[in-house]
Amino acid sequence: MPRSGVPPRVAVFAALREILTETPWRKVRLETVAKQAGVSRQTIYNDFGSRFGLAEAYAYEVADTMCDLIAADLAAHADSPRAALESALRMFLDATMRDPLIRRVQEGEAHEDLMRLVTTDSGPLLEHIAGRLAEAVGQVWPVVDPVAGRAFARTIARLCISYVAMPPETDEDVAAGLAMLLAPALEAAVQERTVEPDAG
């Protein structure tokens, strides 16, 4: 039975995360993940298809968790797009430094298949993240034109994926710098639709 009665998929992701804190991806075995998750090896093959399928599913799980946190940060600072972006980006950068699979990628300890997930084959993941972020922008700032919101979300998604593949190479406040560059476009989009047209 899966640990503590949790759904098998949740148990598998939790087990993989724990194993990766101590073991490089190239040495991770599905049998080990299954045993620690309290499921059969066949369950993992049925749900994920392969070792790479497990890593890909885990990447999407991490992406969804990050998007949920970003959406919460945007909502918490809805009155200030710049503060919202800075808070969300800082949370994202801090969280990526703590995730074991992302650390393996950044430290060059990931299989080339994993690298492709955030580089040459990142299109599907990028679209998934952009869609989630566009939805968040639309919910927090419904006045923003959907086309502009989508373009903005894609820009943020591309930045996020680039920092997954390669962490910031500076000790400067990267989140504040990115927010300073990106916030004007979002602020303009919010203001453009908020200002009432002149009467007459």
Side-chain angles (χ1 to χ4, degrees), residues 45-62:
Y45 279 112
N46 289 343
D47 286 350
F48 306 106
S50 65
R51 190 166 173 272
F52 174 71
L54 172 59
E56 184 177 37
Y58 179 82
Y60 275 82
E61 176 74 7
V62 171

Side-chain angles (χ1 to χ4, degrees), residues 81-82 85 137 141 144-145 148-149 151-153 155-156 178-193:
R82 179 168 176 173
L85 284 174
V137 169
W141 297 289
V144 172
D145 179 75
F152 183 79
T155 299
I156 297 297
L178 290 174
M180 180 178 65
L181 292 173
L182 297 170
L186 181 57
E187 289 168 340
V190 172
Q191 184 176 14
E192 179 182 356
R193 299 293 293 271

Side-chain angles (χ1 to χ4, degrees), residues 42-125:
Q42 190 59 47
T43 294
I44 292 184
Y45 279 112
N46 289 343
D47 286 350
F48 306 106
S50 65
R51 190 166 173 272
F52 174 71
L54 172 59
E56 184 177 37
Y58 179 82
Y60 275 82
E61 176 74 7
V62 171
D64 279 332
T65 298
M66 296 287 188
C67 287
D68 288 342
L69 293 173
I70 288 174
D73 263 333
L74 296 183
H77 302 84
D79 58 336
S80 173
R82 179 168 176 173
L85 284 174
E86 183 173 338
S87 178
L89 289 166
R90 180 169 290 111
M91 177 283 304
F92 169 79
L93 291 170
D94 289 345
T96 56
M97 293 178 64
R98 294 193 300 271
D99 185 85
L101 184 60
I102 293 176
R103 284 209 313 272
R104 297 299 181 188
V105 170
Q106 293 175 340
E107 293 168 0
E109 296 182 357
H111 189 274
E112 61 182 12
D113 285 345
L114 295 185
M115 289 303 301
R116 290 204 302 269
L117 272 176
V118 292
T119 53
T120 57
D121 292 345
S122 63
L125 184 59

